[in-house]
């Protein structure tokens, strides 16, 4: 079956704007997105490094990874390979070999609405990978699939070119067009929360956090 590619690469904002979100917790980003977007049900399988990059999306038939293999021929530095596998956990979509291919291509990491395998390899690596589960059963490789179309990941719509951030709390994404204003709001909230923590330690806290 065929694999449809909407575009071979994704537009990227300035690298310094993307990188600025490395110090932003997903919880604070989510707070400033009205606490609405964000993938539900995914967890990190790697050794704890932050995921920051631009979405390179893949939609595939549950349990089939042919489209991901095709995507790996196209991804480049800073791309987050975002895979809509329909949330299926019965077959792994990527494993150690595909992790190494993505790393070699310079990708920023994987976000998979589905399962992986070779979990020990991911756990020993700092290459970011978020998925639903791990299972030994391998995938089919017959398609169909689509590359760089809007996808649904854990109830969150992610479009090609969206900025994707992941940490211990999960994964959140947003359009690059709002990144500048969002970054300002995130930094302001981080500063407020730092002051709140200081006030707690100094015995001056007056319950302001419960009103925000």
């Amino acid at each position: 079956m065929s694999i449809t590619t909407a575009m071979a690469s994704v537009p990227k904002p300035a690298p310094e704007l993307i990188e600025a979100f490395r110090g932003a917790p997903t919880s604070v980003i989510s707070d400033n997105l009205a606490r609405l977007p964000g993938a539900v049900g995914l967890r990190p399988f790697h050794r704890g490094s932050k995921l920051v990059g631009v979405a390179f999306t893949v939609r595939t038939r549950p349990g089939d990874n042919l489209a991901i293999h095709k995507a790996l021929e196209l991804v480049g530095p800073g791309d987050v390979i975002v895979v809509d596998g329909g949330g299926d956990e019965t077959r792994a979509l990527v494993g150690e070999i595909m992790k190494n291919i993505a790393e070699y291509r310079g990708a920023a990491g994987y976000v998979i609405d589905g399962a992986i395998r070779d979990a020990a390899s991911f756990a020993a690596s700092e290459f970011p990978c978020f998925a639903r589960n791990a299972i030994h059963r391998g995938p089919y490789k017959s398609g169909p699939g689509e590359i760089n179309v809007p996808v649904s990941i854990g109830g969150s719509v992610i479009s090609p070119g969206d900025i994707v951030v992941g940490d211990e709390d999960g994964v959140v994404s947003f359009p690059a067009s709002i990144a500048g204003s969002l970054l300002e709001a995130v930094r302001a909230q981080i500063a407020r929360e730092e002051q709140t923590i200081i006030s707690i330690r100094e015995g001056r806290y007056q319950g302001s956090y419960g009103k925000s």
Side-chain angles (χ1 to χ4, degrees):
M1 294 186 181
S2 64
I3 305 297
T4 301
T5 302
M7 50 184 167
S9 62
V10 293
K12 294 184 175 70
E16 58 269 21
L17 179 58
I18 301 172
E19 189 62 22
F21 283 93
R22 192 167 297 279
T26 56
S27 57
V28 178
I29 296 172
S30 176
D31 284 351
N32 287 280
L33 293 170
R35 299 176 175 172
L36 289 174
V40 175
L42 275 62
R43 60 186 176 92
F45 280 83
H46 58 290
R47 201 165 53 191
S49 58
K50 190 76 169 278
L51 169 66
V52 182
V54 176
F56 190 103
T57 66
V58 181
R59 179 186 293 136
T60 187
R61 178 169 67 100
D64 190 293
N65 73 356
L66 180 63
I68 307 173
H69 281 283
K70 297 295 184 182
L72 286 172
E73 298 173 3
L74 302 173
V75 297
D79 288 337
V80 178
I81 306 163
V82 179
V83 181
D84 179 355
D88 179 72
E89 299 181 20
T90 64
R91 294 189 178 276
L93 293 177
V94 306
E96 182 177 11
I97 296 297
M98 296 176 78
K99 178 182 83 69
N100 278 275
I101 296 171
E103 284 186 284
Y104 174 78
R105 296 283 297 183
Y110 278 112
V111 173
I112 302 174
D113 197 353
I116 66 163
R117 67 178 180 179
D118 303 323
S121 176
F122 283 100
S125 170
E126 292 188 356
F127 184 71
C129 178
F130 293 79
R132 287 195 172 272
N133 213 337
I135 189 171
H136 56 82
R137 299 176 70 197
Y140 300 107
K141 301 178 186 293
S142 55
E146 297 174 288
I147 295 172
N148 282 329
V149 297
V151 295
S152 177
I153 305 295
S156 181
V157 176
I158 301 180
S159 296
D162 282 357
I163 295 177
V164 181
V165 181
D167 60 19
E168 293 85 350
D169 287 337
V171 176
V172 68
S173 64
F174 48 89
S177 60
I178 69 167
S181 58
L182 177 60
L183 181 61
E184 290 182 8
V186 165
R187 284 174 169 170
Q189 180 172 334
I190 290 173
R192 290 195 304 271
E193 293 187 354
E194 288 174 347
Q195 289 303 309
T196 297
I197 291 172
I198 290 172
S199 73
I200 293 169
R201 291 173 177 170
E202 294 179 348
R204 298 183 288 103
Y205 178 63
Q206 298 294 322
S208 60
Y209 187 69
K211 301 171 185 176
S212 61

